[in-house]
Amino acid sequence: MMQRRNFLKILGGAIAWSLLAPLETLAAIWNKAAFETSSLDIVKKELGILSAKVSPQIKVIAPDRAENGAVVQVEITSHIANTEAILIMVAKNPTPLIANFILSNGMQPYLITRIKMAETDDIQVFIKADGQYFTASKRVEVFENGCG
Amino acid sequence: MANDIKLRAQLNDDITEIKVLMSHPMETGRRKNGAGEIVPAHFIQLVTMLLNDKTVLEAEWGTGIAKDPYLTFHLKGAKIGDKIVIVWHDNQGNTGNSQIFVV
């Protein structure tokens, strides 16, 4: 399997984080099978998440209710040592895998971003640390489908 | 298309807070326009952030990131004057980038 950690190198190194990276190269890096499936089980299988322990050391902050699922802000903090990646999934979205953030060189295990949600569901966060996965979630009541 | 990125990097104590706002439609490929036609998928797939040419973040995204993507990150080890660069690539072969110095 392609080593995804260094995809910058594949794109031509730090000098050429280039405006002209060929599409085929990007396609080789982006995990198509995981991002395009409608099945959360397949997402986990494609990412190699065989099991994930629920952890109180992960904090997921999001609104209890979202009028419009098109913009749902989520704040994630991991207190798990050696956190190397933060993944966001929403099972009932047309494509459940939303993002995989790989952190390195001093990037802290914390982020804020805004996601789309199709309906009332849990925002599921997975943390990769020392090759193991941990998880936490936050329920959000969604009134209007934001995944059109 | 305007590939605008608003970028801010501010050092507080030993943590640099990096805020990013990208201008991008993030079309899922399921939405219909006014004429009832499906709008083709158009979304950012890869985002890379560098601190002085050293990678600090590599992200893969699906269509579930909201339109005009917003990010906040906290980075340790950066100093005032250090360079932060962010680059994205989308599924249609477009790319955008921006850089800023830590203040």
Side-chain angles (χ1 to χ4, degrees):
Chain A
M1 194 177 117
M2 161 136 354
Q3 173 57 260
R4 270 187 259 285
R5 276 202 72 85
N6 289 313
F7 68 57
L8 195 70
K9 271 189 194 133
I10 303 160
L11 293 179
I15 304 155
W17 27 275
S18 108
L19 302 176
L20 298 168
L23 266 183
E24 316 82 72
T25 312
L26 293 180
I29 297 162
W30 191 68
N31 194 333
K32 186 179 164 76
F35 277 105
E36 291 189 348
T37 182
S38 60
S39 154
L40 187 67
D41 288 342
I42 293 175
V43 168
K44 289 182 188 169
K45 202 177 127 209
E46 290 295 336
L47 293 170
I49 304 176
L50 302 174
S51 67
K53 203 173 161 189
V54 174
S55 173
Q57 290 184 285
I58 305 167
K59 210 163 78 180
V60 183
I61 300 172
D64 295 331
R65 290 182 190 81
E67 284 296 327
N68 185 346
V71 185
V72 181
Q73 182 156 309
V74 56
E75 176 178 340
I76 301 164
T77 309
S78 167
H79 296 289
I80 298 169
N82 303 322
T83 293
E84 53 201 82
I86 299 173
L87 298 100
I88 306 174
M89 303 177 201
V90 173
K92 289 179 186 168
N93 274 12
T95 53
L97 178 58
I98 292 174
N100 181 8
F101 295 94
I102 299 165
L103 318 170
S104 52
N105 293 313
M107 191 59 103
Q108 300 299 290
Y110 168 87
L111 67 84
I112 301 175
T113 192
R114 294 169 187 159
I115 65 169
K116 298 172 194 165
M117 293 184 73
E119 54 186 290
T120 297
D121 201 353
D122 293 331
I123 299 174
Q124 298 189 43
V125 171
F126 290 84
I127 297 293
K128 187 181 185 186
D130 289 329
Q132 285 185 300
Y133 285 95
F134 301 87
T135 188
S137 64
K138 169 73 175 81
R139 188 83 170 166
V140 180
E141 199 176 341
V142 175
F143 294 98
E144 191 183 330
N145 182 348
C147 287
Chain B
M1 195 181 88
N3 293 347
D4 291 343
I5 305 176
K6 289 198 177 83
L7 186 57
R8 228 180 64 185
Q10 188 160 15
L11 183 68
N12 295 308
D13 297 327
D14 62 339
I15 296 288
T16 301
E17 183 169 73
I18 300 165
K19 288 179 183 277
V20 188
L21 184 61
M22 305 171 182
S23 178
H24 200 282
M26 296 301 287
E27 287 288 353
T28 60
R30 288 180 299 273
R31 191 177 70 86
K32 285 180 181 164
N33 65 15
E37 299 152 342
I38 294 273
V39 179
H42 187 198
F43 61 101
I44 293 173
Q45 292 181 309
L46 301 173
V47 178
T48 304
M49 195 186 292
L50 307 164
L51 165 65
N52 299 330
D53 300 332
K54 203 166 62 179
T55 304
V56 292
L57 173 73
E58 293 165 298
E60 288 178 81
W61 288 355
T63 58
I65 293 286
K67 180 185 171 179
D68 295 335
Y70 172 82
L71 296 171
T72 297
F73 276 96
H74 287 170
L75 179 63
K76 215 172 197 167
K79 302 181 300 293
I80 285 173
D82 281 354
K83 187 172 73 175
I84 304 283
V85 175
I86 189 158
V87 186
W88 59 253
H89 291 85
D90 74 18
N91 69 317
Q92 294 188 359
N94 305 304
T95 183
N97 68 81
S98 183
Q99 67 174 55
I100 200 163
F101 297 96
V102 175
V103 295

